[in-house]
Amino acid sequence: CQLKLGDFPSARAAFSRALALDPENPDALLGLALVELNAESAVPPGLRHAAVVNKDKDPGDDDEDDDASHEEKLAAANVLYAEAVARGLSLLERAFAIDPHNPAVNSALANHYLYKGDAGSVEALTESLVRGGGGGFDASGATPRLRAEAAYTRARLHHS
C-alpha cells in the first residue's frame, strides 16, 4: 500500500521488516526492489525545473557557478539513481534465485530486461505468464493482471 502511494521510506521499512523476519521471502524482496527502482530519479524534480529555467537563460549571462552547481547536482543524482537501480536489480535477482517461477518477480525482471534491450530474457521470463491458463490464477500463480502485463511487455519488445 505504501509503495503504491509513493511513501518510499515507509514501504522500505515495511519490506525490510518482512525480510528481517523471513530473509527468503520473494515477495518482500520484490517489494524492496520496487522501492529501490522507484525511490530515486535520474533527474530530481527540483533540477527539472532548474533545467527549464536555465534553458531560457541569456547566453551572454556567464554565471559559471550556477551551471557547475546544477551539473554537479545532476551528476550526483545520476550516481544515486544508478546505485538504486543496481540495488533493485540485485534484490530482483535474489528473489528469482529463491523462486524462479514467481510471476510478479518474472514480470519485474522482464521489464528491466526490456529497458536493457535483452529480448531473449524478456521472452523467457514472460513465456509462461503469457501462455498461462484461463480464468483466475493459472498454474504459475499469475493473475490475469500479471498475464496482461507480461503480454504488454512482450508487445513493447516487438514494437520497439
Side-chain angles (χ1 to χ4, degrees), residues 67-137:
D67 289 340
S69 176
H70 176 75
E71 289 174 7
E72 288 170 1
K73 289 178 185 177
L74 188 57
N78 280 320
V79 167
L80 289 176
Y81 178 71
E83 290 170 351
V85 169
R87 286 190 306 271
L89 182 57
S90 174
L91 290 162
L92 282 176
E93 289 171 343
R94 193 168 137 209
F96 183 80
I98 292 167
D99 184 2
H101 303 291
N102 184 306
V105 171
N106 288 355
S107 182
L109 275 171
N111 273 308
H112 169 75
Y113 287 119
L114 175 69
Y115 289 114
K116 278 188 76 173
D118 185 346
S121 293
V122 172
E123 291 283 347
L125 289 163
T126 58
E127 178 65 26
S128 65
L129 295 174
V130 171
R131 276 188 300 114
F137 289 91

Side-chain angles (χ1 to χ4, degrees), residues 15 18-19 24-34 95 98-99 102-105:
F15 290 123
L19 286 171
E24 301 294 306
N25 184 326
D27 294 321
L29 287 165
L30 171 63
L32 191 55
L34 293 175
I98 292 167
D99 184 2
N102 184 306
V105 171

Side-chain angles (χ1 to χ4, degrees), residues 1-2 4 6 15-16 21 34-36 57 59 84 86 88 108 116-117 125 159:
C1 184
Q2 302 299 27
K4 288 188 183 228
F15 290 123
S16 295
L21 296 171
L34 293 175
V35 168
E36 293 295 342
K57 189 175 169 181
K116 278 188 76 173
L125 289 163
H159 290 4

